[in-house]
Amino acid sequence: ELICSTIPKTEEFKGFNFITPEISAIAESAINHHKENKYGGLIEEKRLHTNLLSSQPLCINFFGFLEQYKELGLAVAQYLYPEITEFHGVYFEYAPTPKNLYTNDNSAFDAALLVSAGDKKGIIGIECKYTEQFSQQEYSTDRYFEIYNNSNIFIESYKVLATKEFNQLFR
């Protein structure tokens, strides 16, 4: 069923939800990596191809350019963290594994920028929001509290971050 913010998922409209054919190819590559279970997160393929208001195509359209143009990716990463020396690419809907060593649930980064600072490798995790609301469920687990307590990056209290207003960004 089509509504005003969707496009048909037909061969005629293939790739229409992406701003260039190259970005469409990056989206297909991300789908294939998820089918091979390389990234851990979930991609809703129909939504990605047909929903004009979804954050998944928004994310791939924007961060796909960083995947396509690694020097641009390096410049963006260095703007955020000047100590970064290399940019390796982007994973979409990425959840580190094994999940029990991380949040121990199905949360994932919308985009994960793969970077190095000297001989240290890491990721910059990014959450994208376009129009959909945050989950109305509050997430508060012992593991989230442990991660919060072991980190020095949060300005706000755990009690505030675990509320429905912020939980999706916090997770």
Side-chain angles (χ1 to χ4, degrees), residues 30 34 38-44 47 55-56 59-60 90-96 106-112 126-128:
H34 280 275
K38 289 187 177 179
Y39 295 166
L42 302 172
I43 288 184
E44 296 177 39
R47 186 176 128 200
S55 63
Q56 281 192 337
C59 181
I60 292 177
V90 182
Y91 289 161
F92 296 98
E93 285 296 322
Y94 175 74
N106 292 320
S107 61
F109 297 112
D110 289 333
I126 298 172
E127 176 74 17
C128 296

Side-chain angles (χ1 to χ4, degrees), residues 50-119:
T50 65
N51 189 328
L52 297 169
L53 298 178
S54 170
S55 63
Q56 281 192 337
L58 165 84
C59 181
I60 292 177
N61 276 317
F62 185 83
F63 292 101
F65 278 114
L66 305 187
E67 174 64 24
Q68 185 177 0
Y69 301 104
K70 301 286 195 290
E71 63 281 352
L72 176 61
L74 178 61
V76 169
Q78 287 176 327
Y79 179 81
L80 298 170
Y81 297 98
E83 65 273 17
I84 290 175
T85 55
E86 291 182 75
F87 178 84
H88 305 286
V90 182
Y91 289 161
F92 296 98
E93 285 296 322
Y94 175 74
T97 58
K99 68 182 182 180
N100 65 312
L101 294 180
Y102 299 94
T103 59
N104 203 27
D105 61 12
N106 292 320
S107 61
F109 297 112
D110 289 333
L113 310 182
L114 311 172
V115 296
S116 292
D119 61 349

Side-chain angles (χ1 to χ4, degrees), residues 150-162:
N150 289 334
S151 174
N152 63 358
I153 64 168
F154 299 108
I155 297 169
E156 196 54 74
S157 72
Y158 177 81
K159 183 178 179 180
V160 169
L161 294 175

